[in-house]
Structure formats: C-alpha cells, structure tokens
Amino acid sequence: GTDVHHSLGQEHDNEDDAPTSDTLDAVGEDTHRIVTEELKRRQIWFTRTEVFAMIFALVFALCVFSMVYPSRFISLIANMAPTTNQAGRRSFLTQAVIFYSREVALNDFFTRLCINEATYDMKKYMQQLVEADLAITDGGALKITIGADGRSEEHSKLMYEPGCKWREHERRDVFKEDYVANEWDIEAHRRRKGRSSSDGGTSEGQATNCSSPIRPDASSQGLQYLFATFRDSVSAVMNKFGVDYWHGRIHDHEFFEQINFNNTLIGLERLRTDEDLRFIQQQYEGDLPLGWEEALEIFYNETHHFLARAQFEFLLFFIVYMIGLVGLFYILLFRRAITDAVGEGEKARAWAYRVPIHVLSSDDLKLVHTFFDMVEEGHVEADDNDFFHHGGPQERSRQ
C-alpha cells in the first residue's frame, strides 16, 4: 500500500501533470502497472490462473488414467476367447483320436471306414491336438496371443507338477468301462468295478492316488507328461497298424456293404493285448479328458476374474475421476472463485455508492454510473482498461 500511495503522489510533481480542472484525471501508466501487480500479488489462491491450469491438468489426467489403466484387461479378455475355444477342442480331438485308433485296430468296415482313411484321420486329428496344446501353452498361434505358461500359474501346476490334480475335483469311477477291450472281459470288468482306493480306485468322499490300470506312472507326473505318453502311444499304433498312404474315400458301395468279422476278431485281440491300444482306449473316460476339463475350468475362472477386475477398476477410477471433477474443480475452485467474484462486485458497488457525488460534474457522474451498468447479456458496458487508458472521464465526455 505504501508503494502505491508514493507513486500516486509522484504523478503530480510536475506542473504539467497537475489537475487543470475539477474533473477526474486519467490514471498514469506506472500507477496502473503498480496497482495491477499488487492486485495479482494479493489475489486469492483459488482465483489464480496457474491453480486452475494445475487442477484442470490433474482432472484430465484422472480421466485418461481411469480409461487407459483398466483397459489392459481388454487384451487378456480377448485372448481368453480363443484359449477356451482351443481348450474345449482338446477334449473333442482326444475323443476323435481314440475313435480312429480303434478303427485302425479293427479295420472291419463296420463304421464304413477303411484303414487308409482311419489312419489319415487319426494322424490329422492328432496333429490338430498337438497344435492346439502348443497354442494354449505357448501362444502365438490359432489366434491365441498370450500362452497359459506365461499367464496362469494354476494351469502350469496342473500341466507340469507331479500329481493328478484333476482327480482331486472328481469323485467318481473314472475308469468304469474304460476301454473297449474289456467290455467282453466280464471278470476284469467286475474287478475294476469293485477295486478299492488302495489299489488305484476312487471311492466317494476319499482322496485318490494317481495310479491307473495301464501305465500307472503316466498320470502321476502331471497332465503334460500324460499327454506326451498318449501322443507316443498314438504314434506307435499308427506305425504298427496303420498305413502311410490314402488316395481319398473309396466310393465302391458294394465294398462298404460288407463287414469283415475276421478282422473284427483280430482287432479285438489287438485291443486286449496291445499296451499302446489299451492305454489309448483307457483315456476315453480316463485321466486325459478329465485333465482337459480341469484346464478348461481354470480358463473359465480366469475369464471371470479378468472381467470382475476390469469392471471393478473401471468403476473405481471413474468414481475417483468424478470426485476429482466435482470436489477439486467444481467445489474447491469454481464455486469459490464465483462466490469471490460476486463478493468483489458487491464491494465495488458499495464503494460506488459511497462516492461523494456532489463533487463530480454531471459528465463524470454519468461515466461512473455507466461503468457499473449491466447490459441484458450480463456484460459490463465499459471496460476498466478502456476507462483508464482513454483519457478518463474527460475523453469519454468528448466522445
């Protein structure tokens, strides 16, 4: 306040600058600059431009963050669709390989398949099964971008850790009528039906071990080891009983009207005695399909988890954004700035009402009133800078 009063006093040191009439004088440039700087220095913090810019940047950053950060789940959720699709196909492909391995062993044309076509289909579906498994575990194929090995710890435990975790969730006899060969072996079938948990069976409410009638160690080393054993058995069956060529489906109707029961008997003997065939047929309702089902259930749980996390984070950050928008910008700044501006306007009007009107000329009085008049649109008719920079009331009177 002292600097301002001192400057105001200096403006009339020169005789040329002294008032020459009873009218108001224009405020000098130095005085206007000093008053402006002092007003800025004393400006309340919530009306400063830099504070508004900082809060606006913060609210905008919250808006962007609330949309960008939870969107990382979009790629994971999109990846789960082909993953669950291929995981479901593994069960179908396994059943298809088991079916065609039996047809290769029987070769009796009962299903209207010759050994050439059965071998070809067995090889084709086995190749698709291997590709699906690699895509699921490693990614980068069959529209799967992120493999389960790098994403799901639970799936990795199921696949690679010793044990048979898929049996922990399954309390039923998984080997009931497990392969076709023993459908004719009544005694073996009864033994399987009546076996106890100590010799590899599964009873209601009891924990199970990982043994199985054929190749007991295959199910105890994890699902990946079991699948590798299954794949080796399929290759062995194709080498022993299959053929290496196929020229397309045979359309000889007379040929397909015949059934070779001699080959049926030979094939049934193979199903009873060949260990590779027995192991493959054992998987029809055995550990491998149960393992695939367990893996599929893991992927379903992952999908639900990703969706729940994405929904929660979208909602959480949206609430934080709205709190920032309403609390910081609107209540803390905007409303207080408007209230302060209205208060300052009222102070200016109160000051104008205290002006000693009797010392002003009629032109000066009109100019003061004009400065505080409001137009219909809500804007001031005369700008204060124009008031100061255009000669004060004397120049306005001439205009």
Side-chain angles (χ1 to χ4, degrees):
T2 304
D3 296 339
V4 175
H5 289 301
H6 179 69
S7 300
L8 290 173
Q10 288 179 348
E11 290 191 9
H12 300 293
D13 291 343
N14 299 326
E15 295 181 358
D16 295 338
D17 296 334
T20 57
S21 65
D22 295 333
T23 60
L24 296 177
D25 295 326
V27 177
E29 292 289 341
D30 293 338
T31 302
H32 182 264
R33 177 179 55 80
I34 294 173
V35 170
T36 302
E37 292 176 355
E38 185 67 17
L39 290 176
K40 287 183 178 180
R41 189 179 68 82
R42 298 189 180 190
Q43 187 178 4
I44 303 176
W45 66 270
F46 54 79
T47 61
R48 295 178 181 271
T49 304
E50 53 270 20
V51 175
F52 268 84
M54 183 182 66
I55 296 298
F56 178 79
L58 178 61
V59 172
F60 183 76
L62 282 175
C63 176
V64 175
F65 182 78
S66 65
M67 299 298 295
V68 173
Y69 183 72
S71 65
R72 72 188 189 280
F73 288 105
I74 295 178
S75 59
L76 295 175
I77 295 172
N79 182 69
M80 295 308 298
T83 299
T84 53
N85 178 39
Q86 295 301 325
R89 288 191 75 246
R90 284 194 300 195
S91 297
F92 157 72
L93 294 171
T94 300
Q95 301 294 337
V97 170
I98 295 172
F99 169 77
Y100 285 111
S101 67
R102 186 189 67 176
E103 294 306 310
V104 168
L106 293 173
N107 190 26
D108 56 2
F109 310 114
F110 189 80
T111 57
R112 302 300 185 264
L113 288 173
C114 64
I115 189 172
N116 308 71
E117 185 174 359
T119 304
Y120 173 83
D121 289 336
M122 182 181 179
K123 183 178 180 180
K124 178 183 69 174
Y125 286 116
M126 189 64 222
Q127 181 64 30
Q128 292 182 9
L129 179 57
V130 171
E131 292 174 354
D133 182 70
L134 287 176
I136 291 171
T137 56
D138 299 338
L142 301 178
K143 299 182 180 181
I144 300 175
T145 56
I146 307 173
D149 285 355
R151 184 195 69 249
S152 175
E153 182 180 357
E154 188 176 0
H155 182 267
S156 298
K157 291 180 179 180
L158 176 71
M159 296 295 293
Y160 305 113
E161 288 189 358
C164 49
K165 295 179 175 57
W166 54 89
R167 289 195 191 180
E168 297 175 2
H169 304 90
E170 194 67 33
R171 304 304 184 199
R172 64 181 178 86
D173 190 354
V174 297
F175 297 108
K176 181 179 64 176
E177 297 180 358
D178 46 10
Y179 50 98
V180 177
N182 278 352
E183 287 183 0
W184 289 268
D185 191 347
I186 304 300
E187 290 300 320
H189 179 68
R190 290 175 178 175
R191 286 196 299 271
R192 289 197 308 278
K193 290 285 287 183
R195 71 183 184 280
S196 63
S197 60
S198 61
D199 60 12
T202 305
S203 58
E204 188 74 21
Q206 294 181 350
T208 179
N209 57 34
C210 296
S211 62
S212 57
I214 305 170
R215 296 178 180 171
D217 63 325
S219 300
S220 62
Q221 302 299 320
L223 187 58
Q224 187 64 36
Y225 182 84
L226 175 63
F227 176 61
T229 305
F230 177 80
R231 184 176 55 195
D232 294 339
S233 298
V234 171
S235 299
V237 168
M238 285 193 293
N239 292 332
K240 286 186 288 187
F241 307 116
V243 294
D244 295 333
Y245 63 91
W246 184 54
H247 301 291
R249 174 176 285 275
I250 301 175
H251 296 284
D252 188 350
H253 299 287
E254 183 177 348
F255 176 80
F256 285 103
E257 289 176 357
Q258 300 176 0
I259 297 177
N260 192 332
F261 283 104
N262 292 329
N263 286 354
T264 302
L265 296 176
I266 296 173
L268 290 176
E269 184 63 24
R270 291 172 179 172
L271 291 172
R272 291 192 187 98
T273 58
D274 188 84
E275 185 173 344
D276 292 312
L277 278 171
R278 294 176 66 199
F279 179 76
I280 293 173
Q281 298 304 310
Q282 174 182 280
Q283 302 309 315
Y284 184 76
E285 288 184 352
D287 283 320
L288 192 57
L290 289 178
W292 296 149
E293 292 176 7
E294 183 70 16
L296 184 60
E297 187 66 24
I298 291 174
F299 295 144
Y300 282 144
N301 293 336
E302 275 190 310
T303 304
H304 296 157
H305 172 73
F306 292 150
L307 289 171
R309 283 286 303 276
Q311 183 182 19
F312 171 77
E313 291 192 6
F314 270 118
L315 182 61
L316 173 64
F317 290 118
F318 179 75
I319 292 175
V320 172
Y321 164 69
M322 292 304 298
I323 292 175
L325 180 64
V326 176
L328 292 178
F329 187 78
Y330 181 71
I331 297 178
L332 187 63
L333 288 183
F334 185 75
R335 283 185 61 88
R336 296 183 67 177
I338 294 299
T339 303
D340 181 73
V342 172
E344 292 297 326
E346 293 298 328
K347 290 179 182 179
R349 290 180 182 276
W351 173 84
Y353 293 149
R354 294 185 179 92
V355 172
I357 300 176
H358 60 278
V359 301
L360 299 178
S361 65
S362 59
D363 293 336
D364 292 338
L365 183 61
K366 291 179 180 179
L367 182 61
V368 172
H369 279 273
T370 302
F371 181 75
F372 291 100
D373 285 342
M374 307 293 292
V375 297
E376 294 180 357
E377 292 80 8
H379 299 287
V380 180
E381 288 186 351
D383 185 78
D384 55 348
N385 289 325
D386 294 337
F387 179 79
F388 288 134
H389 292 150
H390 291 83
Q394 294 178 349
E395 184 66 24
R396 298 289 184 96
S397 300
R398 299 191 195 98
Q399 294 177 353

